[in-house]
């Protein structure tokens, strides 16, 4: 490794922490382990991806990051906490602030600029490209995967957003994280939909996060969504690794008062104009007004039943 590459590698980590990221690691770009891909294929064959058919596509890209960026040599994984003492009983905490897709793309710009200045090419991925994000976070030493399939960052918890920078720079890689959650099982026993499997996979068909965000169309009449309007945090609330979560650094993730205070009855009768205004620049817009209204009406129905 020449001095320019070494300087770039060290500068990346220093700049990442200076920018406000809570954890950063680097992995060598290489094909994803076959065992990882086989488990994913079994998960899809079991139809646990529910209506998320997009997860069945681009298997070749997901299995090899070098197909996402020609000449890719290194993957920089960064984690940012979104934990706040302010929370909502009906909306997942990650959705209370600004859309992390937009925020993180801007936050990594100083790092990509540094790499570009050294003559390297980059590609930023924020939960949109077909990439095994949590797999690469483990390979980069950022954290380990819990039973609920979420990434757990040591001393920070699972309430984190991830962003990856693919680059053709040959950077010094970190050792993979070899920690584990010791299978305490609290997330499995507390899951309202009993969606968490012991092999660290989740059956989306039973997951309230999936059902209230990704599912399209009506719910079965007998479905109980346990008062969740958008997303579900139950498995994170009971996780021992989240009992001392690090609070968020980026102010864009601070909970919006109007979203925190949103009532189910208000959501059930919301107009398109009100929805667009309240959730501008929010991840909640993903479910669209129809989805949010459906969720609110289901909660009211569950209460009545």
């Amino acid at each position: 490794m020449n001095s320019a590459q070494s300087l770039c590698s060290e500068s990346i980590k220093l700049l990442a922490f200076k920018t406000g990221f809570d954890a950063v690691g680097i992995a060598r770009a290489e094909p994803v382990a076959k065992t990882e891909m086989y488990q994913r294929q079994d998960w899809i064959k079991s139809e646990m991806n529910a209506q998320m058919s997009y997860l069945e596509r681009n298997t070749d890209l997901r299995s090899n990051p070098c197909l996402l960026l020609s000449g890719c040599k290194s993957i920089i994984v960064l984690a940012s906490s979104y934990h706040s003492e302010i929370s909502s009983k009906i909306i997942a905490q990650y959705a209370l602030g600004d859309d992390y897709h937009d925020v993180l793309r801007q936050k990594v710009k100083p790092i990509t600029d540094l790499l570009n200045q050294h003559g390297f090419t980059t590609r930023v991925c924020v939960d949109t490209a077909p990439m095994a994000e949590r797999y690469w976070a483990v390979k980069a030493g950022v954290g380990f995967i819990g039973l609920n399939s979420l990434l757990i960052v040591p001393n920070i918890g699972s309430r984190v957003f991830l962003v990856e920078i693919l680059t053709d720079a040959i950077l010094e890689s970190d050792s993979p994280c070899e920690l584990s959650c010791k299978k305490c099982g609290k997330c499995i026993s507390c899951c309202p939909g009993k969606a968490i499997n012991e092999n660290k996979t989740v059956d989306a068909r039973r997951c309230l996060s999936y059902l209230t965000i990704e599912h399209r169309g009506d719910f079965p009449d007998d479905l109980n969504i346990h008062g969740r309007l958008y997303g579900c945090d139950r498995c994170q609330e009971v996780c021992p690794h989240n009992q001392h979560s690090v609070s968020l650094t980026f102010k864009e993730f601070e909970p919006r008062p109007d979203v925190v205070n949103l009532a189910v009855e208000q959501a059930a009768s919301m107009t398109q104009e009100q929805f667009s205004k309240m959730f501008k620049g929010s991840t909640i817009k993903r479910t669209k007004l129809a989805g949010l209204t459906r969720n609110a009406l289901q909660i009211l129905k569950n209460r009545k039943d």
Side-chain angles (χ1 to χ4, degrees):
M1 182 177 295
N2 62 42
S3 59
Q5 291 168 332
S6 178
L7 173 62
C8 188
S9 179
E10 292 304 314
S11 298
I12 286 168
K13 293 184 177 181
L14 290 173
L15 185 55
F17 289 121
K18 182 179 179 181
T19 301
F21 284 96
D22 297 291
V24 57
I26 299 173
R28 183 180 64 186
E30 59 188 8
V32 174
K34 290 183 178 180
T35 52
E36 174 76 12
M37 297 306 297
Y38 288 154
Q39 183 181 55
R40 178 183 177 78
Q41 290 170 11
D42 290 341
W43 181 72
I44 290 175
K45 286 179 180 178
S46 299
E47 299 183 347
M48 292 187 190
N49 59 318
Q51 293 179 350
M52 296 182 288
S53 59
Y54 60 87
L55 294 177
E56 302 171 22
R57 301 190 290 268
N58 300 313
T59 300
D60 55 338
L61 298 180
R62 190 177 297 275
S63 65
N64 190 349
C66 296
L67 298 179
L68 292 170
L69 177 71
S70 179
C72 183
K73 296 294 189 297
S74 306
I75 300 173
I76 305 162
V77 181
L78 305 104
S80 174
S81 172
Y82 61 80
H83 172 67
S84 170
E85 295 301 321
I86 300 172
S87 62
S88 166
K89 292 183 178 180
I90 61 176
I91 298 175
Q93 192 170 64
Y94 88 89
L96 296 178
D98 291 353
D99 190 333
Y100 65 95
H101 299 89
D102 302 327
V103 174
L104 294 181
R105 281 191 179 279
Q106 289 300 314
K107 295 301 182 182
V108 299
K109 195 173 185 305
I111 301 171
T112 56
D113 285 348
L114 177 63
L115 285 161
N116 296 157
Q117 290 166 10
H118 280 77
F120 299 120
T121 303
T122 58
R123 176 175 177 176
V124 177
C125 300
V126 192
D127 193 26
T128 50
M131 187 172 183
E133 288 191 309
R134 284 162 289 181
Y135 170 85
W136 288 112
V138 174
K139 294 284 285 185
V142 172
F144 58 94
I145 297 176
L147 283 175
N148 59 359
S149 85
L150 296 179
L151 184 82
I152 298 173
V153 181
N155 303 315
I156 294 177
S158 65
R159 298 186 181 103
V160 295
F161 294 128
L162 294 176
V163 55
E164 301 80 40
I165 302 174
L166 279 62
T167 178
D168 55 1
I170 302 175
L171 305 173
E172 182 178 359
S173 59
D174 294 290
S175 299
C177 182
E178 297 182 350
L179 300 176
S180 73
C181 60
K182 307 299 182 183
K183 297 186 177 181
C184 80
K186 289 185 177 181
C187 58
I188 293 178
S189 60
C190 81
C191 177
K194 304 304 178 186
I196 302 174
N197 303 313
E198 292 186 359
N199 65 348
K200 300 182 181 180
T201 63
V202 173
D203 188 340
R205 297 167 297 185
R206 304 176 63 86
C207 175
L208 296 186
S209 184
Y210 163 79
L211 290 168
T212 58
I213 299 174
E214 299 286 347
H215 179 75
R216 296 295 179 259
D218 296 332
F219 289 141
D221 290 338
D222 60 347
L223 178 66
N224 187 342
I225 59 174
H226 297 269
R228 302 303 306 187
L229 184 65
Y230 188 94
C232 178
D233 280 338
R234 189 57 184 150
C235 66
Q236 298 198 80
E237 292 169 351
V238 302
C239 180
H241 295 280
N242 285 334
Q243 301 314 303
H244 302 286
S245 296
V246 171
S247 295
L248 58 86
T249 299
F250 299 135
K251 60 180 177 53
E252 291 89 344
F253 297 146
E254 292 178 356
R256 301 178 179 184
D258 56 345
V259 177
V260 172
N261 297 319
L262 179 66
V264 173
E265 293 78 6
Q266 181 184 358
S269 60
M270 186 173 285
T271 66
Q272 182 61 59
E273 182 180 3
Q274 292 170 329
F275 178 86
S276 299
K277 181 179 180 181
M278 178 174 290
F279 301 118
K280 181 179 181 181
S282 163
T283 58
I284 296 179
K285 63 181 181 294
R286 180 174 180 78
T287 197
K288 299 183 175 19
L289 175 60
L292 196 71
T293 302
R294 175 204 60 194
N295 297 347
L297 292 175
Q298 188 70 19
I299 293 174
L300 296 176
K301 180 181 182 298
N302 292 158
R303 289 177 180 174
K304 184 178 179 181
D305 293 344

